[in-house]
Amino acid sequence: MDASLLTIQPNAPEPIYRQIVEQLRRLIASGQLVAGELLPSVRDVAGFHAINPMTVSRAYGMAETEGLLERLRGKGMAVAATRKPVQSESQRMALLETQLQELARHANELELPAEPVLRRLAKLLGD
C-alpha cells in the first residue's frame, strides 16, 4: 500500500484519525488491501499528508484494536491475517449506510430531486 491511497480531508468534521480508520476498513472490506499486506509507516503517511504523526499512530492503533491490522515486529503494521478476504456487496454497502442516510437528508433539506443527485453521484463514481 502507498500513502497516497488514503484521502485526508483536514477541514472535514470527522477527525483525521477516524477518516484513516474508516478508509482502512473500506479498503480491507473491498479486497483492495489483503491480509498480510504492509501499510506505509506512520512517518510516511504523516509526511505525505502533512499531518501529525501521532494522528496516524492513533488511527493505526485503533485499527489494530479492532482487529483490522496487526503489528509485525521489525516490519510495521500489516492487514491482519485473520481478516476475511472480501466482504459481500451487502456488507460493504452497510459500511456506507450512515453516509448515504446523511446524503439523503441533505438532499431533502435542499429540496433536491433524487434524479440529479443520483446523476451527480454516478458521475463521481465514474459510471
Side-chain angles (χ1 to χ4, degrees), residues 6-112:
L6 295 172
T7 303
I8 307 298
Q9 299 173 345
N11 297 325
E14 184 177 32
I16 292 173
Y17 73 91
R18 280 199 194 136
Q19 292 179 40
I20 294 170
V21 172
E22 289 300 319
Q23 287 180 58
L24 290 172
R25 188 178 290 122
R26 290 189 296 267
L27 291 167
I28 293 167
S30 69
Q32 293 180 63
L33 291 178
V34 296
E37 185 170 349
L38 291 175
L39 271 64
S41 70
V42 166
R43 183 177 292 163
D44 287 347
V45 174
F48 183 85
H49 293 287
I51 58 177
N52 189 318
M54 290 303 295
T55 301
V56 180
S57 182
R58 181 177 184 185
Y60 279 13
M62 286 181 67
E64 182 182 21
T65 300
E66 287 182 28
L68 296 171
L69 303 178
E70 61 187 358
R71 198 172 303 273
L72 302 178
R73 186 176 298 273
K75 293 185 179 182
M77 298 297 277
V79 176
T82 57
R83 294 299 300 173
K84 293 182 280 186
V86 176
Q87 294 181 356
S88 70
E89 185 175 324
S90 63
Q91 289 171 316
R92 290 179 295 172
M93 285 296 293
L95 294 174
L96 286 178
E97 188 62 29
T98 303
Q99 292 88 350
L100 290 172
Q101 289 176 355
E102 186 175 342
L103 173 64
R105 183 176 53 80
H106 289 181
N108 286 333
E109 289 170 354
L110 293 167
E111 297 182 343
L112 291 170

Side-chain angles (χ1 to χ4, degrees), residues 103 107-108 111-124:
L103 173 64
N108 286 333
E111 297 182 343
L112 291 170
E115 190 174 314
V117 174
L118 293 173
R119 271 197 318 267
R120 178 69 176 131
L121 180 59
K123 185 176 180 181
L124 291 171

